PDB file of all heavy atoms in Angstrom:
ATOM      1  N   MET A1039     104.839  95.673 129.927  1.00  0.00           N
ATOM      2  CA  MET A1039     105.683  94.460 130.099  1.00  0.00           C
ATOM      3  C   MET A1039     106.210  94.380 131.541  1.00  0.00           C
ATOM      4  O   MET A1039     106.646  93.311 131.987  1.00  0.00           O
ATOM      5  CB  MET A1039     106.744  94.464 129.099  1.00  0.00           C
ATOM      6  CG  MET A1039     106.498  93.934 127.751  1.00  0.00           C
ATOM      7  SD  MET A1039     105.827  92.276 127.836  1.00  0.00           S
ATOM      8  CE  MET A1039     107.186  91.326 128.479  1.00  0.00           C
ATOM      9  N   MET A1040     106.291  95.538 132.140  1.00  0.00           N
ATOM     10  CA  MET A1040     106.706  95.436 133.590  1.00  0.00           C
ATOM     11  C   MET A1040     105.555  95.227 134.481  1.00  0.00           C
ATOM     12  O   MET A1040     105.681  95.514 135.766  1.00  0.00           O
ATOM     13  CB  MET A1040     107.399  96.859 133.904  1.00  0.00           C
ATOM     14  CG  MET A1040     108.601  97.162 133.224  1.00  0.00           C
ATOM     15  SD  MET A1040     109.133  98.801 133.607  1.00  0.00           S
ATOM     16  CE  MET A1040     110.587  98.927 132.593  1.00  0.00           C
ATOM     17  N   ALA A1041     104.431  94.884 133.950  1.00  0.00           N
ATOM     18  CA  ALA A1041     103.256  94.599 134.770  1.00  0.00           C
ATOM     19  C   ALA A1041     102.717  95.826 135.536  1.00  0.00           C
ATOM     20  O   ALA A1041     102.266  95.734 136.644  1.00  0.00           O
ATOM     21  CB  ALA A1041     103.464  93.406 135.736  1.00  0.00           C
ATOM     22  N   ILE A1042     102.935  96.982 134.847  1.00  0.00           N
ATOM     23  CA  ILE A1042     102.380  98.219 135.453  1.00  0.00           C
ATOM     24  C   ILE A1042     101.347  98.749 134.456  1.00  0.00           C
ATOM     25  O   ILE A1042     101.542  98.856 133.319  1.00  0.00           O
ATOM     26  CB  ILE A1042     103.556  99.262 135.643  1.00  0.00           C
ATOM     27  CG1 ILE A1042     104.466  98.690 136.665  1.00  0.00           C
ATOM     28  CG2 ILE A1042     102.863 100.534 136.108  1.00  0.00           C
ATOM     29  CD1 ILE A1042     105.875  99.350 136.519  1.00  0.00           C
ATOM     30  N   GLN A1043     100.187  99.070 135.116  1.00  0.00           N
ATOM     31  CA  GLN A1043      99.016  99.562 134.239  1.00  0.00           C
ATOM     32  C   GLN A1043      99.281 100.976 133.889  1.00  0.00           C
ATOM     33  O   GLN A1043      99.323 101.819 134.697  1.00  0.00           O
ATOM     34  CB  GLN A1043      97.816  99.411 135.125  1.00  0.00           C
ATOM     35  CG  GLN A1043      96.486  99.994 134.585  1.00  0.00           C
ATOM     36  CD  GLN A1043      96.152  99.463 133.200  1.00  0.00           C
ATOM     37  OE1 GLN A1043      96.436 100.075 132.220  1.00  0.00           O
ATOM     38  NE2 GLN A1043      95.606  98.250 133.224  1.00  0.00           N
ATOM     39  N   PRO A1044      99.567 101.227 132.556  1.00  0.00           N
ATOM     40  CA  PRO A1044      99.938 102.596 132.171  1.00  0.00           C
ATOM     41  C   PRO A1044      98.814 103.580 132.432  1.00  0.00           C
ATOM     42  O   PRO A1044      99.117 104.805 132.685  1.00  0.00           O
ATOM     43  CB  PRO A1044     100.184 102.466 130.699  1.00  0.00           C
ATOM     44  CG  PRO A1044     100.142 101.054 130.285  1.00  0.00           C
ATOM     45  CD  PRO A1044      99.521 100.261 131.458  1.00  0.00           C
ATOM     46  N   ILE A1045      97.567 103.190 132.418  1.00  0.00           N
ATOM     47  CA  ILE A1045      96.510 104.088 132.652  1.00  0.00           C
ATOM     48  C   ILE A1045      96.668 104.586 134.085  1.00  0.00           C
ATOM     49  O   ILE A1045      96.502 105.772 134.367  1.00  0.00           O
ATOM     50  CB  ILE A1045      95.071 103.472 132.382  1.00  0.00           C
ATOM     51  CG1 ILE A1045      94.958 103.206 130.928  1.00  0.00           C
ATOM     52  CG2 ILE A1045      93.950 104.373 132.947  1.00  0.00           C
ATOM     53  CD1 ILE A1045      93.685 102.755 130.480  1.00  0.00           C
ATOM     54  N   ALA A1046      97.011 103.672 134.989  1.00  0.00           N
ATOM     55  CA  ALA A1046      97.175 104.114 136.426  1.00  0.00           C
ATOM     56  C   ALA A1046      98.320 104.990 136.582  1.00  0.00           C
ATOM     57  O   ALA A1046      98.328 106.026 137.297  1.00  0.00           O
ATOM     58  CB  ALA A1046      97.230 102.874 137.276  1.00  0.00           C
ATOM     59  N   ARG A1047      99.475 104.654 135.976  1.00  0.00           N
ATOM     60  CA  ARG A1047     100.736 105.357 136.265  1.00  0.00           C
ATOM     61  C   ARG A1047     100.869 106.599 135.433  1.00  0.00           C
ATOM     62  O   ARG A1047     101.511 107.589 135.851  1.00  0.00           O
ATOM     63  CB  ARG A1047     101.896 104.343 135.870  1.00  0.00           C
ATOM     64  CG  ARG A1047     103.245 104.839 136.270  1.00  0.00           C
ATOM     65  CD  ARG A1047     103.399 105.193 137.755  1.00  0.00           C
ATOM     66  NE  ARG A1047     104.784 105.586 138.087  1.00  0.00           N
ATOM     67  CZ  ARG A1047     105.266 106.702 137.739  1.00  0.00           C
ATOM     68  NH1 ARG A1047     104.637 107.508 136.938  1.00  0.00           N
ATOM     69  NH2 ARG A1047     106.489 106.938 138.124  1.00  0.00           N
ATOM     70  N   VAL A1048     100.424 106.565 134.181  1.00  0.00           N
ATOM     71  CA  VAL A1048     100.664 107.706 133.259  1.00  0.00           C
ATOM     72  C   VAL A1048      99.480 108.608 133.121  1.00  0.00           C
ATOM     73  O   VAL A1048      99.494 109.824 133.156  1.00  0.00           O
ATOM     74  CB  VAL A1048     101.082 107.197 131.889  1.00  0.00           C
ATOM     75  CG1 VAL A1048     101.261 108.293 130.873  1.00  0.00           C
ATOM     76  CG2 VAL A1048     102.435 106.438 132.023  1.00  0.00           C
ATOM     77  N   VAL A1049      98.275 107.940 132.870  1.00  0.00           N
ATOM     78  CA  VAL A1049      97.063 108.740 132.567  1.00  0.00           C
ATOM     79  C   VAL A1049      96.514 109.462 133.773  1.00  0.00           C
ATOM     80  O   VAL A1049      96.195 110.623 133.750  1.00  0.00           O
ATOM     81  CB  VAL A1049      96.083 107.827 131.826  1.00  0.00           C
ATOM     82  CG1 VAL A1049      94.738 108.557 131.652  1.00  0.00           C
ATOM     83  CG2 VAL A1049      96.663 107.439 130.424  1.00  0.00           C
ATOM     84  N   THR A1050      96.210 108.718 134.806  1.00  0.00           N
ATOM     85  CA  THR A1050      95.393 109.336 135.916  1.00  0.00           C
ATOM     86  C   THR A1050      96.117 110.468 136.609  1.00  0.00           C
ATOM     87  O   THR A1050      95.492 111.388 136.875  1.00  0.00           O
ATOM     88  CB  THR A1050      95.023 108.164 136.982  1.00  0.00           C
ATOM     89  OG1 THR A1050      96.226 107.580 137.480  1.00  0.00           O
ATOM     90  CG2 THR A1050      94.113 107.168 136.494  1.00  0.00           C
ATOM     91  N   PRO A1051      97.440 110.429 136.783  1.00  0.00           N
ATOM     92  CA  PRO A1051      98.026 111.649 137.411  1.00  0.00           C
ATOM     93  C   PRO A1051      97.843 112.868 136.623  1.00  0.00           C
ATOM     94  O   PRO A1051      97.505 113.951 137.101  1.00  0.00           O
ATOM     95  CB  PRO A1051      99.459 111.331 137.614  1.00  0.00           C
ATOM     96  CG  PRO A1051      99.633 109.814 137.480  1.00  0.00           C
ATOM     97  CD  PRO A1051      98.476 109.366 136.604  1.00  0.00           C
ATOM     98  N   ARG A1052      97.954 112.710 135.319  1.00  0.00           N
ATOM     99  CA  ARG A1052      97.801 113.943 134.406  1.00  0.00           C
ATOM    100  C   ARG A1052      96.414 114.349 134.381  1.00  0.00           C
ATOM    101  O   ARG A1052      96.078 115.547 134.282  1.00  0.00           O
ATOM    102  CB  ARG A1052      98.363 113.591 133.020  1.00  0.00           C
ATOM    103  CG  ARG A1052      99.951 113.455 133.042  1.00  0.00           C
ATOM    104  CD  ARG A1052     100.457 112.824 131.792  1.00  0.00           C
ATOM    105  NE  ARG A1052     101.880 112.905 131.718  1.00  0.00           N
ATOM    106  CZ  ARG A1052     102.754 112.079 132.337  1.00  0.00           C
ATOM    107  NH1 ARG A1052     102.257 111.059 133.105  1.00  0.00           N
ATOM    108  NH2 ARG A1052     103.973 112.180 132.215  1.00  0.00           N
ATOM    109  N   PHE A1053      95.505 113.379 134.303  1.00  0.00           N
ATOM    110  CA  PHE A1053      94.068 113.674 134.312  1.00  0.00           C
ATOM    111  C   PHE A1053      93.648 114.506 135.535  1.00  0.00           C
ATOM    112  O   PHE A1053      93.096 115.565 135.532  1.00  0.00           O
ATOM    113  CB  PHE A1053      93.200 112.476 134.135  1.00  0.00           C
ATOM    114  CG  PHE A1053      91.754 112.627 134.296  1.00  0.00           C
ATOM    115  CD1 PHE A1053      91.079 113.136 133.155  1.00  0.00           C
ATOM    116  CD2 PHE A1053      91.065 112.407 135.479  1.00  0.00           C
ATOM    117  CE1 PHE A1053      89.698 113.372 133.228  1.00  0.00           C
ATOM    118  CE2 PHE A1053      89.664 112.624 135.518  1.00  0.00           C
ATOM    119  CZ  PHE A1053      88.952 113.128 134.387  1.00  0.00           C
ATOM    120  N   TRP A1054      94.012 114.016 136.709  1.00  0.00           N
ATOM    121  CA  TRP A1054      93.595 114.625 137.954  1.00  0.00           C
ATOM    122  C   TRP A1054      94.334 115.916 138.166  1.00  0.00           C
ATOM    123  O   TRP A1054      93.763 116.884 138.698  1.00  0.00           O
ATOM    124  CB  TRP A1054      93.789 113.732 139.171  1.00  0.00           C
ATOM    125  CG  TRP A1054      92.754 112.626 139.221  1.00  0.00           C
ATOM    126  CD1 TRP A1054      92.990 111.304 139.061  1.00  0.00           C
ATOM    127  CD2 TRP A1054      91.321 112.726 139.316  1.00  0.00           C
ATOM    128  NE1 TRP A1054      91.864 110.548 139.024  1.00  0.00           N
ATOM    129  CE2 TRP A1054      90.786 111.427 139.217  1.00  0.00           C
ATOM    130  CE3 TRP A1054      90.483 113.867 139.387  1.00  0.00           C
ATOM    131  CZ2 TRP A1054      89.463 111.166 139.208  1.00  0.00           C
ATOM    132  CZ3 TRP A1054      89.149 113.548 139.437  1.00  0.00           C
ATOM    133  CH2 TRP A1054      88.580 112.272 139.379  1.00  0.00           C
ATOM    134  N   ALA A1055      95.554 116.035 137.712  1.00  0.00           N
ATOM    135  CA  ALA A1055      96.252 117.292 137.786  1.00  0.00           C
ATOM    136  C   ALA A1055      95.548 118.339 137.005  1.00  0.00           C
ATOM    137  O   ALA A1055      95.387 119.504 137.469  1.00  0.00           O
ATOM    138  CB  ALA A1055      97.673 117.114 137.246  1.00  0.00           C
TER     139      ALA A1055
END
Side-chain angles (χ1 to χ4, degrees):
Chain A
M1039 275 307 295
M1040 294 173 182
I1042 294 156
Q1043 173 55 260
I1045 294 191
R1047 183 61 175 70
V1048 174
V1049 169
T1050 59
R1052 288 167 174 82
F1053 175 78
W1054 289 115

